Amino acid sequence: MSENVNIYFKCKGRVYTLMMKTSGENITLSMLVGRICTKLGIDESKVKLQLRYNAVLLGSTEEIYICDDEDVGVYISSGENNRRYVLYVDVITPPELPEQLSRVEVINKSSAGKNYEDEMRDNAAIVLCECEEQGTKPKEAIVEVDETQDAEIGSQDESMDIHDDRGDEYVEPPPVVEAGQFKKEWEDGIGLNLFQEFPSRAALQEVVDKGAFANSFGYVIKKSDKERYLLTCAKESCAWRIRASNIRNTSIYSFRKYNKMHTCTRISKSKTRMRKRKGTPELVAALLHDTFPGQMETPVPKVIMELVQTKLGVKISYSTAIRGKRQAICDLKGSAEDSYKDINCYLYMLKKVNEGTITYLKLDEEDKFQYLFIALGASIEGFQVMRKVIIVDATHLKNGYGGVLVFASAQDPNRHHYIIAVGVLDSENDASWGWFFEKLLTVVPDTPELVFMSDRNTSLIKGIRNVYSVAHHGYCVWHLSQNVKGHATNVNRDVVAWRFMELSRVYTMAEFEREYRIFKLRYPSAANYLEDTTVKEKWARCCFRGQRYNLDTSNCVESLNSVFLNARKYSLIPMLDAIMSKISVWFNEHRKEAASGSNENKLVPLVENYLHDLWVEAEKLKVTELNTFQLEYNVRGSEGKEYFVNLLLKTCSCKVFDIQKYPCVHALAGFIAFESDTTRTRSMEIHELVSKYYWAEMWALAYYRTIYLVPDKSQWDIPDEIKELKVLPLPRKKKKGRTKVLRLPSTGERRPKRQRTQNKRRPRQSLQWLLFGNHSI
């Protein structure tokens, strides 16, 4: 059982306490002497301690000396009623040692939190309990001793010879000396080498700063100019110093002289001392580079604050953590100013590694950055086999220079993101949106088949109308529902938004008119807002004049804003690298997914799963539909197929087949009835009824090209005329207060969780349900 043994000892007129723990082992002389030397702060190897006590409670007037482990055991077990006598300690310095080592420097008071020097006479002894159990307070007794004891110590030391051989021959282990007690040389811990080179003076200072924080020493910059950089210890008597010289015509600094040993006292790592030291963004960035090497994504500022305090013992503010986080990104990818300076070189390399890529850059009168447009060649070519619906939206940048990031994205037939063009504009205004759509026109021509989906930003609407005069434009029904419910009164506004979304997605005109009348009767104020600000051809599915398939919101681009949430905080080139990297990953994944299907899979997984789920219900309707399709009908070539498809469109009253461009349950039942007719002269496959944009073959063509990333700057091969082009950054926008990471949500912006789209191929034992010539199903 572990017990605590409390010992009081007196040295040079001061009283100290010791608490020694025993775990079934006896306390030895070396253990006791080592603990007393540690308490007094002296070097055990340079002094000798003489231990004695006076057993006054036993009636003895002579002092008893402790010379070996047996004496220690007697002393621990002595006393009456579990009381122990005070221990007197004399420090004896050998004659050959320096005189200053004979002085005992006491740096701590009594560990019991009490100074007994003023409360005790010189001839008083403190006796306390032998063992202190948990929760038991030690008992004390003050006992009078003879006044002549202290004066007779020297003579008794010479006259009493009770030392045995074991005590003289015992070799004590090396002592544990606390930092700051003796002037002993110690290494700085930086780990530098002579003639080691650093890319800049700031990089050199970061390394020294980190070592100074970690090893608790200060330094002073003695000289700092274009040719030399001299650092010395903060204490003038210390021999530690670093001297670095600049290599001519470069920014590189090389070590010329380096004394890594300190001859001063190490600074104590106390809380007061550490509280005075301040961390810098450069120090935070250096720590992030060591902890997360080569990574752009680092922890949140709160975690960085804890990391700096744990590893360096320094407290930093939240803003310093953010600045250090940004500095780490700048160290990896260059500063924001360098991004604007090198943007022409970056665009040149992007077009070089990706054939067919189109880029535009516009500057203002002062050669400052204004607009940027990028369209990858692989996306331009792949969009030709895509549904001609483009969603456009902009989101604000968080890099300190303002501006907006613009995406023009389509949706592939399996409902994946397909980014066509990326833009960076100074703001959302008529001029910027007009310039963006003018450049987009060089990539995507203006045709009646083309449809744009967006929110109701005034400048955006004006830009589409001025540039794309033939294309159709629809409004995002989700954004519109949030505006509609804001004008509803005396009702549950969330219900109003949901009712409007259901109303906008009705397929037939008759059903729409009926539901719209009910909507106007229930929510007159919301209906008045709709009629005053919009027209139903812009938001109602059955009234829309173009072909927008399933796309009626801008959620496709809104989700891109979330995907690139962290990238929007980077400077220009690192942000573009992050976007191109994500597009390249998506292309590789979807190319593999499109090629993984067998030859029997004629359709994309989304439509295949939809038709498979609808097949059972369609078989129940095929008897009814068979009477409908037993007309004077004979299939001859392509004219026969077109006639059959048109006949299906006319007879499908739900209009789902007409809008979505793949069979509804009625069209699928008619097809099954047609396949069951033995009088037919030609067979037909189900994928012939589906729009070609949903064919697996067309889906694979959209991703057949590979998108390559821009190599490292060290591998750039740039012509001189491109290098001479200058681009100046925009003025940095200073804002007061803490940096906002997330914008404030508008009224009712909480989005309900929606069911995930079933666009993954399902594992099944047989694919014969798609082989419609086999009637065994």
Side-chain angles (χ1 to χ4, degrees):
M1 178 179 178
S2 178
E3 297 179 347
N4 295 334
V5 177
N6 293 332
I7 299 175
Y8 277 72
F9 69 91
K10 186 175 182 179
C11 182
K12 297 295 183 178
R14 289 179 177 266
V15 177
Y16 304 88
T17 61
L18 283 179
M19 184 175 69
M20 305 184 68
K21 294 183 178 180
T22 61
S23 302
E25 298 180 359
N26 295 328
I27 299 177
T28 62
L29 178 62
S30 60
M31 293 170 58
L32 183 59
V33 171
R35 289 295 305 276
I36 292 176
C37 290
T38 303
K39 190 71 175 182
L40 296 177
I42 59 178
D43 191 350
E44 184 181 353
S45 62
K46 297 182 180 180
V47 297
K48 188 175 183 180
L49 300 185
Q50 191 176 63
L51 308 181
R52 55 190 173 86
Y53 65 95
N54 195 330
V56 293
L57 295 181
L58 299 178
S60 175
T61 57
E62 295 184 358
E63 293 179 334
I64 300 175
Y65 286 80
I66 299 177
C67 302
D68 53 20
D69 296 343
E70 184 177 359
D71 295 339
V72 174
V74 173
Y75 168 72
I76 295 297
S77 60
S78 63
E80 279 186 350
N81 299 326
N82 292 330
R83 295 174 180 268
R84 188 174 300 108
Y85 313 113
V86 69
L87 187 65
Y88 290 90
V89 179
D90 297 325
V91 181
I92 301 175
T93 306
E96 63 273 10
L97 294 179
E99 183 180 356
Q100 58 267 24
L101 291 179
S102 65
R103 298 196 304 269
V104 179
E105 299 180 1
V106 181
I107 62 172
N108 295 318
K109 294 184 179 180
S110 174
S111 62
K114 190 174 183 180
N115 189 356
Y116 292 90
E117 182 180 6
D118 298 331
E119 300 181 8
M120 296 184 58
R121 297 185 298 276
D122 293 337
N123 57 352
I126 295 181
V127 186
L128 65 158
C129 296
E130 177 180 356
C131 297
E132 179 186 52
E133 300 290 345
Q134 292 185 355
T136 305
K137 296 181 63 177
K139 300 179 181 180
E140 300 179 356
I142 300 179
V143 184
E144 297 289 337
V145 297
D146 189 9
E147 296 180 355
T148 62
Q149 289 178 358
D150 291 338
E152 296 175 354
I153 292 176
S155 60
Q156 290 177 1
D157 182 34
E158 297 176 358
S159 61
M160 298 182 65
D161 189 9
I162 60 174
H163 297 69
D164 60 2
D165 295 336
R166 289 178 302 171
D168 294 335
E169 296 176 356
Y170 183 75
V171 179
E172 300 290 345
V176 180
V177 182
E178 290 187 354
Q181 303 303 318
F182 293 95
K183 292 184 178 179
K184 185 179 179 180
E185 290 188 355
W186 50 279
E187 191 174 346
D188 57 7
I190 300 179
L192 300 176
N193 299 319
L194 198 61
F195 302 109
Q196 184 175 347
E197 296 181 352
F198 287 84
S200 64
R201 184 168 53 191
L204 167 61
Q205 188 169 354
E206 287 178 9
V207 175
V208 178
D209 275 340
K210 185 180 177 182
F213 275 103
N215 297 279
S216 299
F217 68 88
Y219 67 91
V220 179
I221 302 176
K222 287 293 185 180
K223 292 184 181 297
S224 177
D225 51 34
K226 295 182 179 180
E227 297 180 355
R228 53 188 174 177
Y229 191 58
L230 178 61
L231 306 178
T232 61
C233 183
K235 296 186 178 181
E236 297 181 357
S237 60
C238 182
W240 180 88
R241 65 185 56 246
I242 290 177
R243 182 185 181 91
S245 299
N246 176 257
I247 299 179
R248 187 173 298 178
N249 299 327
T250 66
S251 61
I252 300 175
Y253 277 78
S254 174
F255 278 110
R256 299 303 180 185
K257 292 183 180 180
Y258 175 41
N259 184 6
K260 63 182 179 180
M261 303 303 297
H262 283 268
T263 57
C264 61
T265 303
R266 188 189 295 265
I267 301 173
S268 176
K269 293 185 179 181
S270 62
K271 292 183 179 180
T272 305
R273 187 81 182 180
M274 285 297 138
R275 208 179 294 125
K276 294 179 180 178
R277 311 188 76 168
K278 296 181 179 180
T280 60
E282 291 76 14
L283 184 65
V284 175
L287 179 62
L288 292 177
H289 290 321
D290 292 342
T291 311
F292 309 98
Q295 296 185 20
M296 298 281 286
E297 300 295 336
T298 51
V300 295
K302 185 177 180 180
V303 177
I304 294 177
M305 294 169 63
E306 297 175 355
L307 184 65
V308 173
Q309 186 175 4
T310 302
K311 291 198 171 184
L312 302 180
V314 182
K315 289 186 177 181
I316 60 174
S317 62
Y318 188 91
S319 58
T320 302
I322 290 181
R323 291 196 297 269
K325 184 181 175 76
R326 293 175 179 172
Q327 182 64 39
I329 297 174
C330 292
D331 294 341
L332 292 174
K333 293 294 184 178
S335 63
E337 292 76 10
D338 293 338
S339 291
Y340 287 106
K341 179 181 177 182
D342 299 334
I343 186 60
N344 280 299
C345 300
Y346 178 85
L347 297 179
Y348 175 83
M349 290 302 302
L350 183 65
K351 291 187 289 186
K352 185 176 180 180
V353 297
N354 293 283
E355 185 180 356
T357 299
I358 297 177
T359 62
Y360 296 98
L361 179 65
K362 183 180 180 182
L363 310 179
D364 60 8
E365 296 80 5
E366 299 177 356
D367 291 336
K368 292 184 178 180
F369 176 88
Q370 194 170 11
Y371 307 139
L372 173 66
F373 177 91
I374 298 176
L376 294 173
S379 299
I380 298 172
E381 189 171 343
F383 183 67
Q384 297 178 7
V385 294
M386 288 278 185
R387 296 175 296 173
K388 300 300 182 288
V389 182
I390 299 178
I391 304 97
V392 183
D393 196 14
T395 182
H396 291 277
L397 297 176
K398 304 292 184 180
N399 55 11
Y401 289 89
V404 293
L405 176 65
V406 179
F407 288 108
S409 177
Q411 191 182 73
D412 74 359
N414 210 37
R415 297 190 181 179
H416 294 307
H417 300 302
Y418 197 88
I419 299 177
I420 302 171
V422 179
V424 179
L425 310 177
D426 57 356
S427 62
E428 290 190 84
N429 51 54
D430 295 350
S432 60
W433 276 119
W435 182 88
F436 178 82
F437 285 112
E438 287 177 0
K439 303 309 176 185
L440 185 64
L441 184 63
T442 63
V443 175
V444 181
D446 185 15
T447 61
E449 187 184 6
L450 185 63
V451 174
F452 284 96
M453 294 298 301
S454 70
D455 56 17
R456 295 192 301 159
N457 182 280
T458 306
S459 299
L460 190 153
I461 295 174
K462 187 182 296 184
I464 295 176
R465 184 174 63 246
N466 294 339
V467 178
Y468 286 90
S469 57
V470 181
H472 302 280
H473 184 204
Y475 296 155
C476 171
V477 296
W478 187 88
H479 285 91
L480 189 55
S481 69
Q482 304 308 304
N483 297 329
V484 168
K485 81 174 188 178
H487 290 79
T489 57
N490 301 326
V491 290
N492 189 326
R493 295 188 174 185
D494 291 332
V495 174
V496 176
W498 177 76
R499 290 287 185 184
F500 173 76
M501 294 281 287
E502 293 294 320
L503 173 65
S504 65
R505 290 169 175 171
V506 172
Y507 283 93
T508 62
M509 195 66 186
E511 185 181 359
F512 174 78
E513 294 292 347
R514 183 177 66 255
E515 294 296 333
Y516 195 27
R517 285 195 300 268
I518 297 174
F519 185 84
K520 288 191 289 185
L521 290 175
R522 288 183 177 180
Y523 318 111
S525 57
N528 292 334
Y529 170 77
L530 274 175
E531 294 178 351
D532 294 340
T533 58
T534 63
V535 292
K536 57 186 178 182
E537 287 78 12
K538 293 291 186 179
W539 54 268
R541 173 177 284 171
C542 60
C543 301
F544 192 75
R545 297 173 182 175
Q547 189 58 252
R548 64 183 188 183
Y549 303 91
N550 63 293
L551 299 170
D552 55 3
T553 68
S554 60
N555 181 64
C556 178
V557 176
E558 293 289 347
S559 59
L560 290 177
N561 299 340
S562 300
V563 171
F564 300 108
L565 179 63
N566 292 325
R568 288 188 283 145
K569 304 174 188 176
Y570 302 162
S571 54
L572 188 58
I573 290 181
M575 179 187 68
L576 295 177
D577 268 337
I579 295 173
M580 301 305 158
S581 176
K582 179 59 71 173
I583 297 176
S584 177
V585 169
W586 284 341
F587 259 65
N588 295 337
E589 291 178 353
H590 302 330
R591 184 189 310 111
K592 182 179 179 181
E593 185 180 6
S596 62
S598 64
N599 294 332
E600 297 177 353
N601 300 123
K602 302 294 185 180
L603 302 173
V604 297
L606 174 74
V607 179
E608 178 186 331
N609 296 337
Y610 167 79
L611 296 178
H612 182 270
D613 295 339
L614 213 61
W615 187 268
V616 177
E617 185 179 355
E619 281 191 324
K620 297 178 181 179
L621 297 176
K622 71 176 183 179
V623 178
T624 305
E625 298 297 336
L626 182 60
N627 299 327
T628 305
F629 288 101
Q630 280 186 347
L631 306 173
E632 294 181 0
Y633 175 73
N634 190 15
V635 181
R636 299 188 185 91
S638 61
E639 294 182 0
K641 186 184 73 172
E642 292 178 1
Y643 171 74
F644 179 70
V645 173
N646 292 332
L647 183 60
L648 286 178
L649 292 176
K650 291 179 181 180
T651 55
C652 292
S653 58
C654 64
K655 298 298 182 184
V656 175
F657 188 22
D658 189 20
I659 294 176
Q660 297 289 1
K661 298 305 180 183
Y662 48 75
C664 61
V665 63
H666 307 95
L668 189 59
F671 175 78
I672 296 175
F674 168 74
E675 286 289 307
S676 303
D677 187 7
T678 58
T679 61
R680 58 186 173 86
T681 59
R682 181 184 183 275
S683 63
M684 183 179 295
E685 297 186 9
I686 188 64
H687 76 274
E688 297 183 53
L689 299 180
V690 181
S691 172
K692 64 179 181 180
Y693 295 127
Y694 294 105
W695 292 0
E697 180 183 0
M698 304 291 281
W699 183 36
L701 286 176
Y703 294 104
Y704 88 95
R705 287 188 55 180
T706 302
I707 295 179
Y708 298 95
L709 303 181
V710 175
D712 187 74
K713 190 176 180 180
S714 60
Q715 303 178 15
W716 290 3
D717 184 15
I718 311 297
D720 294 337
E721 59 270 15
I722 302 297
K723 293 181 180 180
E724 294 175 356
L725 298 176
K726 297 181 179 180
V727 179
L728 301 178
L730 294 171
R732 183 178 288 271
K733 294 185 178 181
K734 297 182 180 180
K735 296 182 179 180
K736 295 182 179 180
R738 176 173 165 179
T739 304
K740 290 184 178 180
V741 178
L742 300 176
R743 65 181 179 88
L744 298 176
S746 59
T747 304
E749 197 168 346
R750 181 188 296 178
R751 302 185 183 184
K753 293 184 179 179
R754 63 182 181 88
Q755 187 177 3
R756 292 188 61 86
T757 304
Q758 300 297 321
N759 59 353
K760 299 294 182 182
R761 295 195 187 276
R762 300 174 184 171
R764 56 175 67 91
Q765 296 180 355
S766 176
L767 296 175
Q768 295 206 355
W769 71 274
L770 281 178
L771 303 178
F772 298 104
N774 189 346
H775 300 288
S776 61
I777 302 179

